[in-house]
Amino acid sequence: MAEAGRSPWQEAWAVFRRNRAALIGLAILGVIGLVLAVGPLLYRVDPFDIVGAPMTPPGDPDVLLGTDYLGRDILAGLVRGGRPTVLVGICAAMITTVIGITIGSLSGYYGRGTDRMLGRVVEFFQVLPALLFAMVLITLFEPSLLTVTLAIGVVAWTGMARLTRAEFLRIRQLDFVRSARAIGASNARIILATILPNALPPIIVSATLATGTAILFEAGLSFLGLTDPNVMSWGLMIGSSRNYLREAWWAVTFPGLCIFLTVLGISLVGDGLNDAFNPKLRQR
Amino acid sequence: MAYLAIVLRRVVQAIGLLAAVAILNFTLIHLAPGDIVSTIVGEMGGASEETIAELRRAYGVDRSYLEQLGIYLARVAGGDLGTSIYYNKPVFLLILDRVPATVLLLLAALTLALVAGTALGVLAARYPRGWFAAAVNLVSLFGFSAPVFWSGLMLLLLFASAIPILPPGGFYDVVAGAQGLAKALDIAHHLVLPATTLALIFLALYSRLARASMIEVLGSDYVRTARAKGLPERTVIFKHALRNALLPVVTVAGLQFSAMLAGAVLVETVFTWPGLGQLAFESILRRDNQLILGILLLSAVLVTFGNLITDVLYRIVDPRIKTDG
């Protein structure tokens, strides 16, 4: 049970703090965030510039992580290529969260006809082949970071909607919601101020994990070349070098490792948050 | 009887849903800048006003959006998916040609992920504190976090380049030209890497699910009862616990069909596997609109079908639903 003077959030943090895996995840994200934030300022090589002989192996003092088949600096690509990937991932996850919460809360709160109608909409988007649909969207309308973000956001929100709906269905019949209704609170107030804050823990976990999924999605699209060709990104690096895998393994391995570590960090933190918010596990 | 009615209602719903998907796809292609005539004219290197007008009439793009949509829907309802402008062949035949490779890949990956994932999950649940559970946890974290195209490339590097025991791509060895059983074995040989790569993502998911639900089931009253009445541990695990623990795995496996298709696009690209995913990617790059529409619709049909099958399977696996007949 909660000790006096500690909010549920503080309590969750106390659990999170003791979770070794989650802290490792947080540390990974911290390092990656720092590199992406200040790296481009310290390491000023343009990732599109040809700086050395093609396919220089890693270890060369001038190009520490080697060059790709055109002689472009891999380290420069890693330092700069993370920004679009992570940025698109975060923005797309925010879009999915906003759409998902809106649809899910309306569906779960009003129930009946609204729920049935919105349920059809969710089903519709579940049936759409997400990646193919995003690929079509991006090629039909100019490949840019914006279209990529929107395409991912539009196809990936159904999970969040289902989760929010379930939470609203559960919470709306609890006593404190009934009393809010009894004292005459408006529907909007009940949805936003009474139910939503109590539904937040699983939503936060899901939004965290959605960021990881969106990053993988972005990387996949860039790998296929369906992104802005003038912006270096990790996925694009892998896609352009994959035909030289045997000759220059480093040009493919390092960017992939970066994507992997980023998503791993996010997954670990997401799992940690899940444990921290889950009162059942806390008692163990 | 009631069951049949439920299935029937779901089929009707599914058809409505697919019609909506077809309308959305068509509208999107319609909204995009440029149409089939501008593509043709572009390839011709320009054309006179009259030729363009004639082409527009021939392809029906001079009509209004609603008219075109009506024509498209009527055609699709009649089973005609149109003609690919690049291959100059019926879209249906082109798709049919690629279905076996993709279905083979998906089934192999799904089977591998389900069997291995469940086995790992059950074992991890049985011995939750040992090194084995930790290893399963690591594998599942990798599957969750590594981009599928990258793990595919890494497997290629490992098993086709560093230790060259598996072929680097393709469906079968064209040069060797094996027939019959030898050809089947050759295809299986080529299937190992792509199927493993695709399975890796889902293996992670299934092992986690199986472990979580197995832990829950093992703590339940009826398992305690089964043990108390002296049943051998093997019977308890496989007959009493596993069947119930499998429920969430089966549900999720069906719902994961759309994600599997997405994975297939990337895996087929990495391993030059001649399936639907590759065809889709190429048609999107070439803006082969009829082919794109056909593949999008077919994928939606596949996903819907997968959901229906999940529903039926769920009823078979769940002993409680089964007794209702």
Side-chain angles (χ1 to χ4, degrees):
Chain A
M1 279 290 100
E3 293 163 31
R6 283 216 302 184
S7 77
W9 299 97
Q10 283 169 322
E11 210 174 308
W13 168 241
V15 176
F16 188 87
R17 219 174 39 189
R18 285 196 298 271
N19 185 335
R20 199 153 32 118
L23 290 182
I24 293 175
L26 207 57
I28 295 176
L29 290 186
V31 171
I32 290 172
L34 195 68
V35 169
L36 295 186
V38 300
L41 301 172
L42 299 176
Y43 194 75
R44 289 179 170 278
V45 181
D46 187 321
F48 286 100
D49 271 356
I50 290 165
V51 295
M55 304 195 210
T56 310
D60 189 296
D62 287 333
V63 280
L64 211 55
L65 294 182
T67 63
D68 69 0
Y69 69 106
L70 290 174
R72 300 180 295 191
D73 191 346
I74 298 295
L75 181 59
L78 294 186
V79 166
R80 273 184 184 70
R83 281 185 178 183
T85 306
V86 171
L87 206 66
V88 167
I90 291 175
C91 293
M94 275 159 67
I95 296 178
T96 60
T97 307
V98 169
I99 302 180
I101 288 182
T102 311
I103 304 250
S105 59
L106 292 177
S107 199
Y109 182 74
Y110 288 106
R112 296 159 195 269
T114 318
D115 186 28
R116 260 200 303 280
M117 197 190 70
L118 291 177
R120 278 299 120 71
V121 177
V122 171
E123 225 175 301
F124 174 77
F125 276 90
Q126 270 177 336
V127 165
L128 278 184
L131 182 69
L132 287 182
F133 194 71
M135 285 163 73
V136 172
L137 276 181
I138 291 163
T139 33
L140 289 184
F141 309 93
E142 204 68 13
S144 70
L145 293 189
L146 183 68
T147 38
V148 172
T149 310
L150 290 176
I152 300 174
V154 165
V155 297
W157 55 268
T158 52
M160 183 66 83
R162 288 216 317 267
L163 175 80
T164 312
R165 173 178 173 272
E167 281 298 297
F168 267 67
L169 279 178
R170 182 177 68 80
I171 297 173
R172 78 166 176 191
Q173 46 196 347
L174 298 181
D175 284 342
F176 65 93
V177 178
R178 289 186 191 180
S179 35
R181 201 171 290 139
I183 60 171
S186 67
N187 283 332
R189 194 181 158 79
I190 295 177
I191 290 176
L192 292 174
T194 311
I195 304 185
L196 189 58
N198 289 290
L200 273 185
I203 290 177
I204 292 174
V205 172
S206 173
T208 312
L209 297 175
T211 313
T213 315
I215 287 177
L216 288 180
F217 209 123
E218 188 278 343
L221 289 167
S222 314
F223 167 75
L224 293 173
L226 298 174
T227 183
D228 190 337
N230 302 313
V231 179
M232 189 55 83
S233 70
W234 290 338
L236 191 66
M237 290 171 78
I238 301 176
S240 63
S241 284
R242 76 178 177 96
N243 289 332
Y244 305 90
L245 180 67
R246 279 159 186 261
E247 296 84 2
W249 55 267
W250 51 90
V252 169
T253 307
F254 295 140
L257 212 54
C258 288
I259 303 171
F260 169 59
L261 286 175
T262 310
V263 181
L264 180 69
I266 294 174
S267 310
L268 290 175
V269 170
D271 282 353
L273 287 175
N274 195 23
D275 294 351
F277 285 141
N278 198 332
K280 259 194 222 158
L281 289 172
R282 215 178 288 164
Q283 284 160 8
R284 279 188 200 160
Chain B
M1 230 10 241
Y3 179 57
L4 198 70
I6 293 173
V7 170
L8 213 65
R9 216 182 67 200
R10 298 215 48 187
V11 170
V12 171
Q13 278 175 4
I15 292 175
L17 219 66
L18 290 175
V21 170
I23 293 174
L24 177 76
N25 293 340
F26 182 84
T27 310
L28 262 182
I29 302 257
H30 189 83
L31 282 176
D35 56 21
I36 182 169
V37 172
S38 58
T39 315
I40 296 173
V41 171
E43 261 166 33
M44 283 162 64
S48 67
E49 292 281 324
E50 296 107 67
T51 322
I52 292 178
E54 200 176 308
L55 278 172
R56 289 182 68 81
R57 228 181 351 266
Y59 283 100
V61 287
D62 56 336
R63 295 166 193 253
S64 74
Y65 159 70
L66 278 180
E67 265 181 286
Q68 287 188 49
L69 177 64
I71 294 170
Y72 171 71
L73 288 180
R75 209 166 37 113
V76 169
D80 178 8
L81 291 178
T83 308
S84 152
I85 182 175
Y86 178 84
Y87 291 98
N88 199 17
K89 273 188 189 166
V91 166
F92 183 72
L93 291 182
L94 285 170
I95 292 179
L96 206 62
D97 206 34
R98 301 292 191 109
V99 164
T102 295
V103 168
L104 190 63
L105 175 63
L106 287 181
L107 281 184
L110 191 65
T111 314
L112 189 62
L114 270 177
V115 172
T118 313
L120 289 179
V122 168
L123 282 173
R126 193 73 192 76
Y127 311 100
R129 305 223 181 273
W131 59 269
F132 185 80
V136 170
N137 212 359
L138 269 182
V139 170
S140 91
L141 271 173
F142 181 85
F144 262 127
S145 311
V148 57
F149 55 91
W150 182 68
S151 36
L153 288 168
M154 290 300 105
L155 286 176
L156 263 183
L157 204 55
L158 211 58
F159 294 109
S161 193
I163 320 165
I165 48 170
L166 290 166
F171 193 42
Y172 55 88
D173 196 337
V174 187
V175 183
Q179 289 303 324
L181 184 65
K183 185 173 176 183
L185 283 176
D186 192 24
I187 291 178
H189 194 213
H190 281 78
L191 182 63
V192 175
L193 278 184
T196 310
T197 308
L198 192 54
L200 217 53
I201 333 173
F202 299 97
L203 188 116
L205 189 64
Y206 301 154
S207 70
R208 271 186 159 204
L209 270 173
R211 192 186 62 168
S213 71
M214 197 67 183
I215 287 180
E216 202 182 316
V217 169
L218 283 179
S220 67
D221 287 341
Y222 65 85
V223 166
R224 197 176 311 137
T225 311
R227 279 184 178 147
K229 68 181 181 188
L231 287 179
E233 185 66 14
R234 181 181 300 227
T235 317
V236 174
I237 295 251
F238 287 101
K239 221 170 155 209
H240 292 245
L242 186 59
R243 216 165 144 192
N244 283 295
L246 270 182
L247 280 180
V249 180
V250 170
T251 324
V252 171
L255 293 176
Q256 226 48 42
F257 212 73
S258 161
M260 273 219 136
L261 270 178
V265 175
L266 293 165
V267 169
E268 285 178 9
T269 309
V270 169
F271 293 99
T272 54
W273 188 258
L276 271 180
Q278 240 193 20
L279 186 69
F281 181 40
E282 286 163 4
S283 68
I284 288 172
L285 288 186
R286 292 179 187 131
R287 293 206 158 196
D288 195 342
N289 287 352
Q290 293 302 323
L291 192 49
I292 297 176
L293 285 174
I295 294 174
L296 280 179
L297 189 62
L298 185 98
S299 315
V301 171
L302 278 180
V303 174
T304 316
F305 197 61
N307 290 352
L308 270 176
I309 291 183
T310 313
D311 200 47
V312 175
L313 270 186
Y314 195 80
R315 283 158 200 280
I316 294 173
V317 178
D318 193 336
R320 277 160 304 189
I321 298 181
K322 198 181 171 191
T323 47
D324 295 350

